Amino acid sequence: MNKKDILVTGGLGFIGSHTAVSLHEAGYRPILLDNLSNSELSVLEGIEKITGVAPVFFKGDVNDPSVLNGIFEQFHILAVIHFAAYKAVGESVEKPLEYYHNNVGGMINLLKVMKKQGVSNMVFSSSCTVYGEPEVIPVTENEPVKDATSPYGASKQMCETILKDVHWCHTQCLRYFNPVGAHESGFIGELPIGIPNNLVPYITQTAAGIREKLTVHGNDYPTADGTCIRDYIHVMDLADAHVAALSRLLESKEESYFETFNLGTGNGSSVMEVVEAFEKATGIKIPTTIGPRRAGDVVRVWADTTKVNRILQWKTKRNLQAMMADAWRWQLGLDKSKIKLGS
Ligand code: NAD
Ligand code: UFG
């Protein structure tokens, strides 16, 4: 076996598990590390069903140097894809110290161990949330980073700042727009925790009868149908972008030790357009009601993908209807006992 080993922190999470599949398909061996704070061991079976190979997995925390050192000593790790973080915006306001400790402290610990072990390639999970309400749409990577509106957003900005200061580390900083969908097999997807905050899991749970109806958070925005616009991207397209970014690092093609890329489709969709795409893809009508605006929502944001299309030679392949069909297939296969309903 001559596969190239890549450490994937947060490897059992939503994006990490899909990236593990893409890495396998591209001839890498993902070494998955996760503390299971927001995922379950059953994800390993899902990955195995798709790839035919039981993934290498370590239950452990990125804050724990001994776990990390152990992995770097056991495997010849060429690069790290760092997904491990807490990601709930609202919760971060309640628990800022936990968020800074895990998201910023965890990455600092990881970087220290990488330095000690002589590993200098990193793909980092950032977010379009760093742009806030952008001045210019579509958003290029040159759009200024705005003051963060939550500790979660601030933690991503701090990590970016740290990575810019750590010159020995070659970083591909990927700013995700709105990742949705699931692997087309339906074997892996996004695990719902409590009442979903995000649009697509809320839609699929409504279609499954777990939620009564979708509340649209405001229809009086200055957009064509009055609802907010986002750039939804299929999680498998996102996963493939990580492989492209990794290749750029491993082939030493970067022009600078810190490069940022926007990962989106380049198209914005309103909340009502997402609902329509779901209904078209599945034939299921989603009951909706119009509620007040949600605090902190930006009106519209979508990516300018010129840079990432050209430099990483990557483009999205799956449209909104495919995202909805795959999210629904995953929802249908979900063991209801795994859905933590919340109050
Ligand atoms: P996720 O919660 O599904 O996955 C994160 C995984 O990391 C989980 O399995 C969790 O158990 C694990 N984890 C958390 N802290 C850890 C620690 N200290 N040590 C080891 N494992 C730990 O989230 P996701 O949606 O897959 O997001 C992955 C990354 O992408 C995160 O950094 C997130 O902030 C970023 N991101 C996500 C979105 C999104 O909408 N999903 C958007 C932009 C950026
Ligand atoms: N929405 C509803 N009803 C719902 C849920 C969402 O109308 O029940 C609307 C929101 O108001 C927003 C749109 O659907 O207009 C998208 O909302 P999401 O919560 O799905 O996504 P956000 O763009 O608000 O935020 C997500 C992640 C953030 C991340 C950001 C950018 O939750 O963590 O994408 O990557 F920072």
Side-chain angles (χ1 to χ4, degrees), residues 87-89 126-130 152-153 156 175-180 195-203 213-218 221 227-232 269-271 274 289 292-294 296-299 301:
K87 65 166 180 177
V89 175
S126 190
S127 168
C128 73
T129 196
V130 301
Y152 168 73
K156 290 291 165 192
R175 292 174 176 162
Y176 311 156
F177 281 63
N178 287 54
V180 297
I195 301 172
N197 205 32
N198 298 121
L199 180 61
V200 175
Y202 207 103
I203 290 176
K213 55 184 181 236
L214 171 76
T215 302
V216 175
H217 299 317
Y221 285 98
T227 64
C228 292
I229 298 178
R230 300 285 183 276
D231 188 341
Y232 297 91
S269 306
S270 71
V271 175
V274 176
T289 182
R293 291 182 176 195
R294 183 173 74 174
D297 267 348
V298 301
V299 181
V301 59

Side-chain angles (χ1 to χ4, degrees), residues 9-17 33-40 60-63 82-87 102-103 106 124-129 152 156 174-180 189-191 198 238:
T9 74
L12 267 52
F14 175 42
I15 306 170
S17 56
L33 170 71
D34 204 298
N35 66 0
L36 304 180
S37 59
N38 198 31
S39 51
E40 296 189 357
D61 200 298
V62 289
N63 289 290
H82 181 44
F83 293 109
Y86 295 151
K87 65 166 180 177
N102 201 43
N103 296 6
F124 176 68
S125 296
S126 190
S127 168
C128 73
T129 196
Y152 168 73
K156 290 291 165 192
L174 306 182
R175 292 174 176 162
Y176 311 156
F177 281 63
N178 287 54
V180 297
E190 190 170 11
L191 268 182
N198 298 121
L238 192 73

Side-chain angles (χ1 to χ4, degrees), residues 55-78:
V56 180
F57 170 65
F58 290 85
K59 180 174 185 298
D61 200 298
V62 289
N63 289 290
D64 180 351
S66 64
V67 173
L68 292 173
N69 278 309
I71 294 174
F72 285 109
E73 278 152 23
Q74 189 177 342
F75 300 94
H76 180 58
I77 302 285
L78 298 177

